[in-house]
């Protein structure tokens, strides 16, 4: 969380915005924004999502929340026989 807060601060400074301006853009108070920059884990994820959206990094949440891939399960699934259904008979 600390590293994420540091990256947030770097992005804000790169855009040359004050904490007050950026906090108002994401809709949080200055103390809450200060907590975000310091990596406080009590900040709600929704506030982080808004900040990432403003910074054009909303897609990063998909990466964080992506399901892990179990290669053993994937292999087992590829080795199991596939069920096939009979084709429908047409009654004419």
């Amino acid at each position: 969380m600390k590293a994420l807060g540091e990256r947030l601060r770097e992005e804000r400074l790169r855009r040359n915005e004050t904490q007050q301006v950026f906090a108002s853009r994401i809709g949080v108070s200055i103390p809450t924004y200060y907590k975000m920059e310091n990596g406080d884990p009590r900040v709600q994820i929704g506030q982080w999502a808004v900040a990432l959206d403003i910074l054009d990094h909303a897609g990063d949440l998909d990466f964080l929340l992506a399901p892990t891939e179990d290669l053993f399960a994937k292999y087992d699934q590829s080795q199991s026989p596939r069920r096939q259904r009979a084709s429908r008979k047409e009654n004419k």
Side-chain angles (χ1 to χ4, degrees):
M1 290 303 293
K2 186 74 174 170
L4 186 59
E6 289 174 6
R7 288 178 49 203
L8 180 65
R9 181 178 187 272
E10 289 171 4
E11 283 291 320
R12 175 183 60 82
L13 292 175
R14 188 177 65 75
R15 294 169 183 252
N16 198 27
E17 292 185 3
T18 64
Q19 283 184 333
Q20 181 179 9
V21 169
F22 198 76
S24 68
R25 285 183 67 199
I26 62 175
V28 298
S29 66
I30 295 172
T32 299
Y33 183 74
Y34 180 77
K35 289 176 185 177
M36 290 174 78
E37 283 193 352
N38 286 311
D40 190 328
R42 296 175 291 178
V43 177
Q44 296 178 6
I45 192 160
Q47 294 166 334
W48 280 103
V50 172
L52 289 172
D53 187 40
I54 288 173
L55 295 172
D56 297 326
H57 290 284
D60 292 353
L61 279 178
D62 290 337
F63 176 73
L64 290 173
L65 302 174
T68 57
E69 185 178 28
D70 183 3
L71 294 178
F72 292 110
K74 192 172 185 178
Y75 176 77
D76 289 342
Q77 186 180 18
S78 71
Q79 298 302 315
S80 64
R82 293 197 164 253
R83 287 182 55 191
Q84 289 185 339
R85 294 184 175 207
S87 60
R88 289 187 174 182
K89 293 183 181 179
E90 291 186 28
N91 292 332
K92 290 188 179 183

